[in-house]
Amino acid sequence: MTSTLAPAPTAATPTAWRGSGFATQVLVLTQRSLRAVVSDPRMVVFSVLQPLIMLTLFSQIFSSIANTPGFPQGVAYIDFLMPAILVNTAMQSALQAGVGLVTDMKNGVLARFRSLPIRLSSVLIARSLSDLVRNAMQLLVMIAFAVTIFGFSPAGGFFGVLGALALSLVVGWGLGWVFLAIAAWLRNAELMQTVGFLAIFPLMFASSAYVPISGLPGWLQAIANVNPLTHAVDAARGLALAQPVTGAVAAIVTSLVIAAVGGAFAVKGFRKPL
């Protein structure tokens, strides 16, 4: 009588943990950035307070422009102004994306991220998405404030305002990648803010944001006509006022191209040693 021996069990070969998926990394890091904003009430208050002050000042100081010959007939100044404020606020919030990235670089957070099995590009995408959410909250508060206090009621109604809001967010998100790229290379918050101010301030006032282009001096009209902010503001304003819109698609495509180029430079600069 013969007996057969069962083969000895073989030990399972351990597999190295390769980290979570890319989508999970982006989701977790986005939630981290949003928690950092919500956990500091001062950041929330001041991020909303600044654009509200701008809205209040500009709506009162420039309201007499509605009586000038070149101003659109039958349009209240707050209805003319508000789409421009949405675009400008989104641009200024884009600057904060770069400042926030520099802050993470300085406080050692990114040094810890480099020791983890995650893609560094997920950190940048999470930062851009969290700033997009924060920006959307800011703009929604501003719209509610403008409707309640100043009687903002454009001809485009709810969907027109929604379209202007979405366009502003796309423009701000695209520009945010430019500031992320600048932050990844400069790595200095003070210098980052100076560069951002020099870039945004002329774009804001050399455009159709606050007055019709026809009301600007001749040399400033030439600048405003080629200013990309003018086309974004005109598109957002056209959506809100239910007027013919010609530059919305161009503004979106331009923003996506800027985001792609800025993202490439941001990732390259971000990979440099700290």
Side-chain angles (χ1 to χ4, degrees):
M1 181 177 181
T2 61
S3 61
T4 59
L5 297 177
T10 58
T13 303
T15 59
W17 183 66
R18 299 182 180 275
S20 57
F22 182 73
T24 302
Q25 295 172 16
V26 171
L27 177 62
V28 171
L29 293 173
T30 302
Q31 292 174 343
R32 170 198 166 271
S33 297
L34 291 175
R35 282 195 300 267
V37 174
V38 177
S39 62
D40 190 350
R42 298 169 300 176
M43 185 181 301
V44 177
V45 171
F46 284 106
S47 65
V48 175
L49 188 59
Q50 180 181 356
L52 290 182
I53 293 175
M54 288 182 56
L55 173 61
T56 303
L57 291 177
F58 289 144
S59 64
Q60 302 305 306
I61 294 174
F62 297 141
S63 59
S64 60
I65 295 175
N67 301 321
T68 58
F71 196 82
Q73 295 295 323
V75 177
Y77 184 69
I78 185 62
D79 297 339
F80 178 87
L81 174 68
M82 191 60 194
I85 292 291
L86 293 177
V87 176
N88 287 339
T89 302
M91 291 178 58
Q92 294 179 9
S93 297
L95 172 61
Q96 298 305 314
V99 174
L101 181 62
V102 172
T103 302
D104 283 345
M105 288 181 175
K106 296 298 183 182
N107 62 19
V109 172
L110 296 184
R112 294 194 292 271
F113 285 161
R114 289 176 182 271
S115 65
L116 300 175
I118 62 174
R119 297 183 183 179
L120 292 180
S121 58
S122 65
V123 178
L124 295 174
I125 295 176
R127 166 64 63 179
S128 71
L129 292 178
S130 64
D131 287 318
L132 180 64
V133 173
R134 178 175 57 84
N135 195 10
M137 295 172 59
Q138 285 182 326
L139 298 187
L140 287 173
V141 170
M142 289 184 61
I143 292 174
F145 185 83
V147 171
T148 305
I149 304 299
F150 298 112
F152 175 57
S153 181
F158 173 79
F159 291 104
V161 175
L162 184 63
L165 171 65
L167 180 62
S168 301
L169 290 175
V170 172
V171 172
W173 180 76
L175 188 62
W177 279 104
V178 175
F179 288 116
L180 286 174
I182 296 174
W185 288 92
L186 294 182
R187 303 187 177 186
N188 184 292
E190 292 78 9
L191 186 57
M192 179 75 220
Q193 291 177 333
T194 301
V195 171
F197 176 81
L198 293 175
I200 292 177
F201 189 79
L203 290 176
M204 287 174 54
F205 290 97
S207 70
S208 63
Y210 306 114
V211 298
I213 293 181
S214 60
L216 298 174
W219 65 271
L220 201 54
Q221 289 185 25
I223 297 176
N225 285 325
V226 298
N227 185 348
L229 179 59
T230 294
H231 301 288
V233 169
D234 288 346
R237 186 173 288 145
L239 291 169
L241 298 179
Q243 296 176 348
V245 180
T246 58
V249 175
I252 293 174
V253 172
T254 301
S255 298
L256 295 178
V257 172
I258 290 175
V261 175
F265 279 98
V267 172
K268 185 175 181 179
F270 195 58
R271 287 174 176 169
K272 294 194 309 178
L274 296 175

